[in-house]
Amino acid sequence: MIWSIVLAAGSGTRYGRLVPKQYEGLRGRRLVDWSLDAAAEASDGVVLVVAGEYREQAEDTADIVTTGGSTRAESVRRGLAHVPADAEVVIVHDAARPLATAALFAAVAAQISEGADAAVPGIPVTDTIKRVSAGIVRETVERSELAAVQTPQAFRAEVLRRAHAAGADATDDAALVEALGAEVVVVPGETANLKITHPHDLLVAEAVLDEGGRS
Ligand code: CTP
Ligand code: MG
């Protein structure tokens, strides 16, 4: 069985609006609904993790709705606690990435079925990336070795549970799995699968849909 955890318990500080960004509308549906639909299509069950004040909203697409924590990693742990013990694969997805396709969920999950412990979508980085401290460039990182990593990220359930057991923090779940020494496979990501972070990202998402939808 494949279960997905959709994370929607953030406050969207960088987005800077009163209502968290995952409740913004895109083509008449909230970002969280886009994410839930893709997750539901690709999995046997979906746990939605929301902030306490959104707990009472009916979410038809989610099988289980629970309350998140103060960090993304803590929200994942709260969601993971509700994933049934017989789920072999767990996919973690940010509600803030509404344009991820069900095919991308399936692609990362397939890697686990084929024996991987973890699989993430990655796309080549287009900016030149420099390591900077105190306002000074310390190093230019070799771009050909870099990947911008997205969600959905798929894991062997037992590995994800182990990665989160110590209660550590990280910006994605793969980093915690890497810390265990496990191998993380990279599959081709989707350039349209942008993360809505600032208000202008929503304009880009609308333009992507104008151009022909999720891809
Ligand atoms: N998230 C969560 N619980 C948290 C923090 C984040 O479920 N305590 C979720 C967000 O709702 C989002 C995803 O994790 O779908 C990725 O986080 P991010 O894009 O950073 O969203 P926010 O934390 O809400 O935004 P910001 O960092 O600008 O405050
Ligand atoms: Mg955040």
Side-chain angles (χ1 to χ4, degrees), residues 97 120-126 146-150 186-194:
R97 289 187 185 269
V120 302
I123 56 174
V125 170
T126 52
L146 298 178
V149 165
Q150 310 175 336
V186 181
V187 307
E190 296 173 334
T191 51
N193 179 19
L194 72 158

Side-chain angles (χ1 to χ4, degrees), residues 19 62 89 92 96 109 114 138 173 179 183 190 193 202:
V19 174
V89 179
V92 182
E114 286 165 24
R138 307 296 168 178
D173 303 282
E183 197 169 79
E190 296 173 334
N193 179 19
L202 198 54

Side-chain angles (χ1 to χ4, degrees), residues 10-14 21 72 195:
S11 51
T13 319
R14 288 168 290 177
K21 60 193 181 182
R72 183 187 180 283
K195 192 175 75 162

Side-chain angles (χ1 to χ4, degrees), residues 92-134:
V92 182
H93 184 55
D94 292 336
R97 289 187 185 269
L99 298 186
T101 64
L104 189 59
F105 279 74
V108 288
Q111 291 292 325
I112 310 306
S113 307
E114 286 165 24
D117 280 335
V120 302
I123 56 174
V125 170
T126 52
D127 290 322
T128 295
I129 309 287
K130 296 181 190 292
R131 199 179 304 282
V132 176
S133 64

Side-chain angles (χ1 to χ4, degrees), residues 129-132 136-142:
I129 309 287
K130 296 181 190 292
R131 199 179 304 282
V132 176
I136 306 292
V137 171
R138 307 296 168 178
E139 187 195 354
T140 299
V141 187
E142 175 55 40

